[in-house]
Amino acid sequence: LEKIQLDDIRPSSRKYPYIDFRPNREIGNEVLSVDGISKTIDGVKVLDNISFIVGHDDKIAFVGNEMAITAFFRIICEEIEPTEGSFKWGVSITRSYFPHDNSAYFNGHKENLLEWIDPYAKEHTETYLRGFLGRMLFSGDSVYKSVEVLSGGEKVRCMFSRMMLFGSNMLILDQPTNHLDLESITAVNNGLSAFRGNVLFTSHDYELVNTVANRIIEIKPEGCTDFLGTYEEFAAQREKQNLML
């Protein structure tokens, strides 16, 4: 330490995206109620009688079978129908969905980033659009890049730019940190932690799950387990239960 010269320390060249979800509308008393949802895919029952109610301040991490979680998210986002059961959104809820597979948003698209994001915006000036793309590190001439040549990580950052435009008070995210570097994962963590709305999400990133979620729902073959607390507390309780068996 005595040999270190401050002049020799170079500033970090790492750039962090800035994720800031700002809901345009406050959440009412009713958010989401799920009643007995089941789903069979290719003859396999992936969801079996899933029921729960989302509270006003809930940020829920879903753990368990990935196919089942993706199917559940697609059901509540009205992309597919449940085999059985129903769900109901509160009248004040506006939602944004980050899908597990974003290929439908990019495959066959030849427009540049500005042209791609424009339909999702309420204002259509280049300055306004650049503001949201710039938060995700698309600046200068990079906004004229065709979306069909974007890397996996760049496509994910485009999806976050799109979501920030909506001003939703409910975020549904299916593996949002896939393809992202550490700086971008940190930005996602910060953005979701600070978000003043509801979050339903699943992720392989332990830190993200443990710091964002205040409730854990485990999707199991016979239904679901609903735990109020952090993932660390959930894992500790499950380990305790296993020791007692």
Side-chain angles (χ1 to χ4, degrees):
L1 288 176
E2 292 176 353
K3 294 180 180 179
I4 293 178
Q5 298 294 322
L6 293 180
D7 292 340
D8 295 334
I9 301 177
R10 296 181 179 179
S12 173
S13 60
R14 292 181 176 180
K15 293 183 179 181
Y16 286 78
Y18 178 59
I19 295 179
D20 182 24
F21 297 108
R22 297 185 181 182
N24 295 331
R25 185 177 183 182
E26 290 293 325
I27 293 175
N29 293 327
E30 295 183 359
V31 181
L32 172 66
S33 59
V34 177
D35 184 17
I37 282 184
S38 298
K39 181 65 177 178
T40 300
I41 300 176
D42 297 331
V44 178
K45 198 169 193 177
V46 296
L47 296 170
D48 186 13
N49 195 30
I50 304 298
S51 298
F52 61 89
I53 295 174
V54 178
H56 185 277
D57 298 315
D58 284 343
K59 293 183 177 180
I60 305 174
F62 288 78
V63 300
N65 183 278
E66 292 183 16
M67 179 185 294
I69 295 170
T70 294
F72 176 74
F73 285 170
R74 294 186 67 196
I75 288 170
I76 62 174
C77 289
E78 302 177 27
E79 287 191 353
I80 59 175
E81 295 285 336
T83 305
E84 300 174 13
S86 62
F87 63 93
K88 182 180 179 181
W89 289 104
V91 294
S92 67
I93 300 304
T94 55
R95 63 180 188 263
S96 291
Y97 176 41
F98 182 101
H100 185 270
D101 180 7
N102 61 34
S103 58
Y105 293 89
F106 298 98
N107 288 356
H109 289 262
K110 299 185 181 300
E111 59 264 41
N112 63 42
L113 271 67
L114 287 173
E115 295 167 336
W116 180 86
I117 202 172
D118 181 72
Y120 306 114
K122 61 182 180 181
E123 295 183 25
H124 303 285
T125 65
E126 181 169 329
T127 300
Y128 181 78
L129 299 176
R130 275 183 174 275
F132 284 88
L133 291 171
R135 293 179 185 181
M136 301 309 296
L137 307 183
F138 296 111
S139 59
D141 290 340
S142 67
V143 300
Y144 301 118
K145 182 189 297 186
S146 172
V147 296
E148 67 178 348
V149 301
L150 296 178
S151 67
E154 288 174 327
K155 290 177 180 177
V156 169
R157 288 191 276 123
C158 277
M159 293 298 290
F160 277 117
S161 294
R162 171 183 174 273
M163 290 181 73
M164 285 188 285
L165 283 166
F166 293 152
S168 303
N169 54 25
M170 164 66 75
L171 306 178
I172 303 164
L173 304 106
D174 193 347
Q175 301 294 348
T177 59
N178 288 359
H179 306 293
L180 293 182
D181 56 23
L182 179 60
E183 291 77 21
S184 297
I185 293 173
T186 299
V188 174
N189 198 325
N190 293 339
L192 295 182
S193 296
F195 178 58
R196 296 181 295 103
N198 287 108
V199 182
L200 309 181
F201 74 106
T202 185
S203 175
H204 294 302
D205 189 276
Y206 172 83
E207 185 69 17
L208 180 71
V209 173
N210 195 50
T211 56
V212 172
N214 56 21
R215 182 177 170 188
I216 309 297
I217 291 181
E218 181 180 18
I219 302 295
K220 301 189 292 186
E222 66 277 13
C224 67
T225 298
D226 195 342
F227 178 82
L228 186 61
T230 66
Y231 183 77
E232 186 175 351
E233 293 167 338
F234 166 77
Q237 185 194 68
R238 186 167 58 179
E239 183 178 356
K240 183 178 179 180
Q241 291 172 342
N242 291 337
L243 291 174
M244 294 173 63
L245 296 178

